[in-house]
Amino acid sequence: MVASTSNGLKRVVIEPVTRVEGHGKVTLLLDEQNKVHQARLHIVEFRGFERFIQGRPFWEVPVLVQRLCGICPVSHHLAAAKAMDRIVGGEQLTPTAEKMRRLMHYGQFFQSHALHFFHLVSPDLLFGFDADVAIRNVIGVAAKYPDLAVQGVMMRKYGQEIILRTAGKKIHGTGAIPGGVNKNLSIAERDFLLKDAEQMLTWARGALKLAKDYTLAHLDELRDFGSFESNHLSLIGASGELDLYHGGLRAITATGEKIFDHVDYQRYLDYIAEEVRPWSYMKFPFIKSLGPERGWYRVGPLARLNTADRIDTPEAEAARQEFMAVTQGKPNNISMAYHWARMIELLHSMEKIHALLHDRDLQGTDLVVRGPRREETVGLIEAPRGTLFHHYVVNKDDQIVRANLIVSTTNNNEPMNRAVQKVAQDHLSGRQLTEGLLNRIEVAIRAYDPCLSCATHALGRMPLEVELLAADGTRLDRRSRG
Amino acid sequence: MSATVEFTIDGKEIPAQPGQTILEAAQQAGVYIPRLCWCKGLVPHGSCRVCTVLVNGRPQAACTQPVAPGVVVENNTEKVTALRRNIIEMLFVEGNHFCMFCEKSGNCELQALAYRFGITAPKYPYLFPQRDVDASHPDVLLDRNRCILCGRCVRASRDVDGKHVFDFVGRGPHKRIAVNAAARLAETDLKVADKAVEVCPVGAILKKRVGYAVPVGQRQYDQQPIGSDIEAAPAGGR
């Protein structure tokens, strides 16, 4: 995976990028003074789901397509189910069905955000970007901060327990079906989940404080770390509130002006297009009215906090106001602020879970609705990593004939590349490469919590090899781990 | 009804009436003999060979072999179990069985047998055959990827529904289930309430738009292995 280039530049490859979901690599092109000429994040996997679900019956899709991922399959399950609701004319869900799906979704947010923060990111924050790689990992966290490690595991477990009781399985369940759900929440299941709810709220508050304190304490360093101005996009509730399950599309500029607002996502193709670049398997979405050069945008926790006017749970709303105060109420464009934003969402999800568990609608028995049949449909949801688009066309025989998925990480493709370029230029350019310096590139990527294949689960230490080649192709430096 | 024939299965005395098959007599006595092509209410077919037992040491299909006085039948023994495991594994690799998203999962007799026999992955290479899906019928889906050629639908349509919607065509590896029409299932007189639709042991013939209506945990084989009903309540089961 290492090569010298025809224009005399050195090519450095970080492969694979570690402590992210999925497999990717970073390439850097350096000149003889180690000045960075180009930095790119490449996605090296190809999935093909859009092709091989063709011909399958539509009701199978929410269960089939979630196999894209083992971390947030619920996102794909629900996005596809929302799409199929419209195929059976059942998009006006019963209260029980919508609340069961929301509970499933918040459970997933809780486990996914906890996994990312505690297992994947905390080593960088607790030990520093340049710390000895032997301790800068989840095992190091467990040794030095055992309470935090246990919290991370138990919070993830709690989220999975919610998914089990709403989807039928902890991973790859069947709970959401076209027009509704296939089960409600029994009293026994509710009581089981309520038992630990207060503890989870407490731990979520602690995780939020950790992320906030870290960000504020290091703000001078982080403000510019892999940061850049960008547009932001997310779903938004009817009154402008953060809504992770449903709403209209809102896009804003880096300074907060609205590009579009409350857009019915059935018409997303009027607003969003995708650019293909020859060096990546992942497409580059952009806002049509601004074009590919200026129309790229960020999604995920940072974007959601920026687009939302408010959060409808009290503790997360108070946290949001503190968060927005850092940038005087304007959109926050600091890449590393993703972590703080993510932990605000962690607390928001747990507040929502807590409230839902006290809602008697979850014990209702009216689970499915049907209405006039449609043949084309779009399902959108805010996945932990950002806005997730599912678009299907179904023929009269009930088979999928066309599908288009824009997964969350795809939306963040250009931003992640910008972050890599910024860190490479600010921190690596002209310097002798060290593991710690290269880790800074990965730190910037991790802020986005990418799920690079939306399928594989690359947790833990993976083999990493970086070679520095001179302009004539001779090896000047080599570092490896794993 | 008094028993007039006695024989043994794995050393246990089994009472039976003359003319019964070994499988029927075993079931009446609370002994489960695994089966796939056999289905209550249909004439036995003897094609899947999952019910193979050793009768006086010789392999026989228990669903078609009549009882005989004094015969010694081996059912739940190491040797017979090994034979059956091989048959089940071959059924998996000869089709395209993806349990992870199949709506029949949890209610599928082939999957349930694999679980009962502790098969986590077949040892034979997958053949990944090219099979097609016939979604033309308004209420019934025919997914040949999952067909195991048990012939239940053929017999049910012919003998119970009186329609002859399904039949086999081709031989050997090219054998497939066909419909009694120029091209597609929609052109037959199949109705969703037909016995032929109900009896499929796998996810090859499905009622449309039912999907995953039954949650995980409440499906037929979620709690107890296949055959447990027979072992718990003799004369029960499918």
Side-chain angles (χ1 to χ4, degrees):
Chain A
M1 301 302 288
V2 178
S4 57
T5 64
S6 56
N7 54 7
L9 298 174
K10 294 170 286 190
R11 185 167 185 260
V12 178
V13 182
I14 304 174
E15 184 182 20
V17 177
T18 60
R19 282 192 276 130
V20 296
E21 314 296 351
H23 295 261
K25 69 175 178 182
V26 171
T27 58
L28 309 172
L29 287 184
L30 312 177
D31 65 15
E32 292 194 352
Q33 284 73 47
N34 279 352
K35 288 265 184 229
V36 174
H37 282 240
Q38 184 194 74
R40 282 175 172 169
L41 169 65
H42 304 252
I43 310 308
V44 295
E45 295 184 53
F46 180 72
R47 300 294 295 162
F49 268 71
E50 288 151 326
R51 175 65 188 83
F52 65 66
I53 62 170
Q54 289 177 13
R56 300 309 308 171
F58 72 80
W59 56 88
E60 200 177 74
V61 172
V63 174
L64 199 173
V65 83
Q66 66 178 333
R67 292 276 167 175
L68 270 164
C69 187
I71 297 296
C72 67
V74 167
S75 305
H76 291 286
H77 183 54
L78 290 178
K82 285 179 76 176
M84 297 316 158
D85 290 344
R86 296 181 58 82
I87 294 294
V88 302
E91 65 271 19
Q92 293 297 325
L93 297 179
T94 66
T96 303
E98 178 168 337
K99 287 172 184 177
M100 280 297 284
R101 286 191 187 180
R102 281 183 177 271
L103 181 61
M104 189 194 306
H105 194 43
Y106 295 128
Q108 172 200 230
F109 257 80
F110 193 69
Q111 67 86 11
S112 178
H113 279 2
L115 164 73
H116 179 256
F117 185 71
F118 286 96
H119 296 193
L120 305 184
V121 168
S122 74
D124 294 326
L125 309 190
L126 295 171
F127 299 120
F129 304 166
D130 301 313
D132 180 1
V133 70
I135 59 156
R136 196 186 62 224
N137 55 54
V138 70
I139 305 298
V141 173
K144 190 162 180 197
Y145 305 96
D147 289 353
L148 280 184
V150 168
Q151 284 176 25
V153 171
M154 297 307 286
M155 288 166 86
R156 178 162 156 73
K157 180 172 187 290
Y158 185 76
Q160 297 288 62
E161 296 287 356
I162 290 174
I163 296 168
L164 168 66
R165 283 157 184 83
T166 48
K169 288 166 70 183
K170 285 183 178 173
I171 303 173
H172 301 138
T174 64
I177 58 177
V181 293
N182 65 13
K183 74 185 290 290
N184 64 7
L185 193 74
S186 71
I187 297 287
E189 289 170 325
R190 180 199 68 186
D191 291 348
F192 176 88
L193 295 172
L194 272 173
K195 193 160 48 69
D196 293 324
E198 290 294 338
Q199 179 65 74
M200 294 302 148
L201 270 173
T202 304
W203 284 348
R205 291 181 194 116
L208 169 59
K209 183 171 187 311
L210 190 62
K212 181 185 82 174
D213 291 351
Y214 173 85
T215 310
L216 291 176
H218 298 80
L219 196 55
D220 288 343
E221 181 193 348
L222 299 182
R223 194 183 291 279
D224 211 32
F225 185 86
S227 293
F228 46 84
E229 296 208 326
S230 79
N231 306 309
H232 301 271
L233 178 134
S234 80
L235 284 180
I236 203 83
S239 60
E241 78 279 16
L242 175 76
D243 195 328
L244 303 174
Y245 177 76
H246 193 60
L249 277 170
R250 174 181 282 179
I252 60 168
T253 66
T255 48
E257 286 82 36
K258 291 192 175 67
I259 304 166
F260 50 77
D261 200 10
H262 295 295
V263 163
D264 176 0
Y265 58 68
Q266 297 304 316
R267 293 165 48 226
Y268 80 101
L269 281 177
D270 295 342
Y271 296 86
I272 306 287
E274 293 178 279
E275 183 193 3
V276 176
R277 296 182 196 173
W279 52 270
S280 177
Y281 282 127
M282 193 153 76
K283 292 191 273 190
F284 289 78
F286 61 92
I287 293 165
K288 267 186 170 177
S289 63
L290 300 177
E293 283 300 311
R294 294 193 306 119
W296 54 276
Y297 53 86
R298 278 188 272 201
V299 298
L302 182 71
R304 288 190 286 252
L305 271 272
N306 284 331
T307 53
D309 299 329
R310 61 186 184 85
I311 298 179
D312 62 356
T313 55
E315 292 189 54
E317 170 59 14
R320 186 194 71 86
Q321 290 179 13
E322 273 187 280
F323 179 86
M324 296 310 290
V326 171
T327 48
Q328 293 78 47
K330 289 289 183 188
N332 185 322
N333 288 289
I334 304 170
S335 283
M336 289 298 283
Y338 260 100
H339 299 305
W340 184 0
R342 194 171 285 115
M343 290 303 98
I344 293 172
E345 289 188 342
L346 178 90
L347 180 59
H348 169 65
S349 300
M350 195 54 229
E351 287 183 286
K352 284 286 195 185
I353 290 165
H354 196 263
L356 277 168
L357 289 175
H358 288 92
D359 191 328
R360 292 303 302 263
D361 278 346
L362 286 176
Q363 281 78 51
T365 53
D366 199 1
L367 302 182
V368 179
V369 286
R370 292 279 162 93
R373 166 78 188 250
R374 293 187 187 86
E375 294 201 342
E376 183 160 3
T377 178
V378 179
L380 245 73
I381 199 160
E382 282 298 327
R385 289 153 187 84
T387 317
L388 172 63
F389 300 64
H390 279 212
H391 181 187
Y392 302 99
V393 178
V394 178
N395 68 15
K396 65 177 177 44
D397 289 340
D398 299 327
Q399 293 170 289
I400 302 292
V401 291
R402 204 168 71 232
N404 185 38
L405 313 179
I406 308 177
V407 300
S408 317
T409 298
T410 307
N411 292 298
N412 272 337
N413 198 357
E414 179 67 25
M416 287 190 298
N417 271 284
R418 298 268 171 160
V420 167
Q421 287 160 18
K422 183 78 165 46
V423 171
Q425 273 154 8
D426 290 355
H427 296 271
L428 274 67
S429 209
R431 298 174 69 177
Q432 180 76 12
L433 295 184
T434 63
E435 196 280 336
L437 280 177
L438 289 173
N439 183 50
R440 284 166 190 266
I441 287 184
E442 297 185 70
V443 166
I445 296 170
R446 281 180 206 123
Y448 292 81
D449 186 13
C451 188
L452 295 180
S453 66
C454 230
T456 54
H457 184 176
L459 185 69
R461 281 166 54 84
M462 296 182 60
L464 173 93
E465 183 169 304
V466 178
E467 285 189 297
L468 180 59
L469 301 184
D472 63 0
T474 56
R475 191 165 77 191
L476 298 177
D477 201 358
R478 177 180 178 278
R479 288 182 174 275
S480 67
R481 70 179 181 215
Chain B
M1 201 182 299
S2 62
T4 55
V5 179
E6 286 213 347
F7 68 106
T8 64
I9 298 180
D10 299 336
K12 181 182 173 184
E13 293 280 342
I14 306 290
Q17 287 90 49
Q20 273 190 316
T21 63
I22 292 174
L23 187 142
E24 287 166 341
Q27 180 150 325
Q28 209 165 42
V31 173
Y32 173 63
I33 298 177
R35 76 294 298 269
L36 270 176
C37 70
W38 185 88
C39 180
K40 200 171 185 174
L42 301 182
V43 289
H45 197 229
S47 66
C48 76
R49 316 311 282 186
V50 170
C51 70
T52 297
V53 290
L54 296 182
V55 181
N56 292 339
R58 190 172 167 210
Q60 297 283 2
C63 72
T64 52
Q65 183 69 18
V67 295
V71 294
V72 175
V73 175
E74 292 175 52
N75 173 41
N76 190 18
T77 64
E78 203 173 316
K79 187 175 177 184
V80 176
T81 298
L83 284 172
R84 287 184 183 142
R85 285 177 61 102
N86 283 338
I87 291 166
I88 294 162
E89 290 183 24
M90 285 189 278
L91 287 172
F92 270 103
V93 300
E94 285 172 4
N96 297 313
H97 298 278
F98 301 108
C99 301
M100 71 288 279
F101 64 82
C102 179
E103 63 191 86
K104 192 80 174 191
S105 190
N107 295 312
C108 171
E109 295 181 40
L110 179 65
Q111 181 196 48
L113 278 173
Y115 278 128
R116 180 163 177 131
F117 284 94
I119 299 168
T120 50
K123 59 177 173 288
Y124 302 111
Y126 288 96
L127 299 183
F128 297 120
Q130 281 284 341
R131 305 258 187 94
D132 58 1
V133 174
D134 185 342
S136 62
H137 194 283
D139 300 313
V140 179
L141 181 81
L142 173 59
D143 186 346
R144 292 187 174 90
N145 289 290
R146 301 165 180 162
C147 180
I148 56 169
L149 302 173
C150 69
R152 284 192 192 179
C153 57
V154 176
R155 286 170 282 152
S157 184
R158 182 190 64 210
D159 301 338
V160 181
D161 303 328
K163 292 185 177 179
H164 213 122
V165 169
F166 298 101
D167 212 337
F168 295 119
V169 293
R171 298 183 66 82
H174 305 293
K175 187 173 178 177
R176 61 194 283 273
I177 199 80
V179 298
N180 186 18
R184 308 185 309 161
L185 195 58
E187 295 150 21
T188 70
D189 53 354
L190 182 75
K191 295 280 181 272
V192 70
D194 285 355
K195 185 79 172 171
V197 176
E198 182 194 315
V199 293
C200 181
V202 291
I205 300 177
L206 295 163
K207 290 178 186 171
K208 276 188 167 183
R209 297 174 294 278
V210 172
Y212 311 86
V214 179
V216 177
Q218 296 174 29
R219 302 170 305 184
Q220 190 170 359
Y221 304 116
D222 279 338
Q223 306 297 336
Q224 296 292 327
I226 189 169
S228 304
D229 50 347
I230 293 169
E231 289 160 337
R238 289 187 72 166

